[in-house]
Amino acid sequence: MWVFGYGSLLWNPGFTPVRRVTARLPDYHRSFCMLSIHHRGTPDHPGLVLALDHQPGGQCTGVAFQVAPQDEVTVLAMLRERELVSSAYVEQEVPLICDTGDRITALAYVVDRTHIQYCQFDLEQQAQMIAHATGGRGPNTEYLYNTVTHLAEIGIKDADMAWLADRVRALTAT
């Protein structure tokens, strides 16, 4: 079993993978398009979390984590509890192209565009929301900064994420 990480799974997969490899998912992009009302915000003051959003011709680069066979049932249960808390994500098997050239199928959590938590805001609005939201797992800023740091560590360039991190730092510098 493989799991595709593109956001918080990059820096907090919740399990120890037997192998990890940089991989690309065609026709999707990483986007702050989900209101977070549990982990990084509240129903009254939602934050934003990343989701895979369908975009023909796009691509999302992340990390494929291979799960040890003896851990598959436990890891799947943990991921479902964590990622499907509000049903805004849909669990899907997706085709990945690894940097090694291998093609694999991995489990991924894709946003449900019909769900009430699906949203589309410009980068400034995203920065404003992220700068001021906190949920059960901590501040939304922490989520953003950890993701940006880990993307940089593995050599993944994401201009929107870098801009957001800079803008949120400016908003919270007071």
Side-chain angles (χ1 to χ4, degrees), residues 91-167:
E91 187 178 87
Q92 290 184 358
E93 294 277 325
V94 296
L96 299 179
I97 304 163
C98 300
D99 280 0
T100 60
D102 296 330
R103 293 180 180 266
I104 61 172
T105 299
L107 184 68
Y109 293 92
V110 176
V111 71
D112 175 356
R113 285 182 157 201
T114 66
H115 197 277
I116 194 165
Q117 286 173 252
Y118 179 74
C119 60
Q120 288 289 309
F121 299 117
D122 65 32
L123 288 174
E124 179 61 28
Q125 179 65 35
Q126 291 175 35
Q128 294 288 336
M129 292 176 74
I130 292 167
H132 301 101
T134 298
R137 292 208 175 165
N140 209 172
T141 55
E142 175 186 74
Y143 177 94
L144 170 65
Y145 299 150
N146 281 338
T147 304
V148 168
T149 296
H150 282 77
L151 287 170
E153 285 175 1
I154 57 179
I156 298 172
K157 296 183 188 314
D158 187 314
D160 286 349
M161 295 287 289
W163 186 92
L164 280 170
D166 288 344
R167 181 65 179 131

